[in-house]
Amino acid sequence: DPVLIDQRGCTYIPHVTGAMVGQKVLIASSDKTMHNVHGLGKVNSQFNIGMAPGGPPLKRTFTKEEVMMPIKCDAHPWMQTYVGVLSHPLYAVSGKDGSFEINDIPVGTYTLVAWQELMNTSEQSITIVEGETTDVTFTYIRK
């Protein structure tokens, strides 16, 4: 399924999302105002496209992993969303309380990376054991 990002009330919804390399990302606009969709990829190609009200969704496919790729609206500078592009489906976006869940991870040892918009990334090594739940806590301290 494609990932859908909507411009609604001059806000990108959702604010953070994930997509797999090669997965279609649709950027739509439910607003009745002009927007400018400006993808600021560091490893994926940048793009900068105007969207008229009522126009069709913008279709993008990202070809390389990139965490996190910002997309903003140049017409409304407060509008920004982030897309984490990965080569696998093992990712999650946390809830408002910070909780997250990733299911069906194969047994093994992994590096789990958390990203927070104001704090950047944090990493932990985790080991997944058959039939067990693994709890992980990331703590960010604002300076």
Side-chain angles (χ1 to χ4, degrees):
D1 291 340
V3 172
L4 178 63
I5 300 170
D6 192 17
Q7 297 168 101
R8 190 176 335 133
C10 287
T11 302
Y12 280 108
I13 309 241
H15 183 62
V16 175
T17 194
M20 288 182 55
V21 170
Q23 184 176 15
K24 189 178 293 183
V25 176
L26 301 176
I27 304 169
S29 181
S30 297
D31 286 339
K32 295 181 179 178
T33 187
M34 177 79 169
H35 285 296
N36 173 259
V37 183
H38 191 170
L40 299 166
K42 289 185 178 154
V43 295
N44 285 290
S45 296
Q46 293 195 9
F47 56 94
N48 196 350
I49 300 168
M51 286 190 78
L58 173 63
K59 297 174 186 169
R60 283 283 178 247
T61 303
F62 304 113
T63 59
K64 298 176 185 130
E65 285 193 333
E66 185 165 352
V67 178
M68 301 291 285
M69 189 180 90
I71 299 173
K72 67 177 190 164
C73 175
D74 292 329
H76 305 98
W78 62 87
M79 289 179 64
Q80 189 156 313
T81 187
Y82 298 90
V83 180
V85 184
L86 298 172
S87 61
H88 55 78
L90 301 175
Y91 55 84
V93 176
S94 64
K96 290 183 189 252
D97 64 354
S99 65
F100 66 94
E101 199 173 290
I102 304 173
N103 295 308
D104 302 322
I105 302 174
V107 170
T109 299
Y110 301 89
T111 300
L112 184 63
V113 179
W115 175 88
Q116 201 283 338
E117 182 176 0
L118 300 176
M119 303 292 190
N120 216 343
T121 60
S122 182
E123 297 182 3
Q124 285 187 38
S125 179
I126 61 167
T127 300
I128 304 300
V129 178
E130 178 101 28
E132 292 186 16
T133 299
T134 303
D135 291 325
V136 178
T137 300
F138 286 94
T139 302
Y140 284 95
I141 300 171
R142 185 176 276 204
K143 294 180 181 181

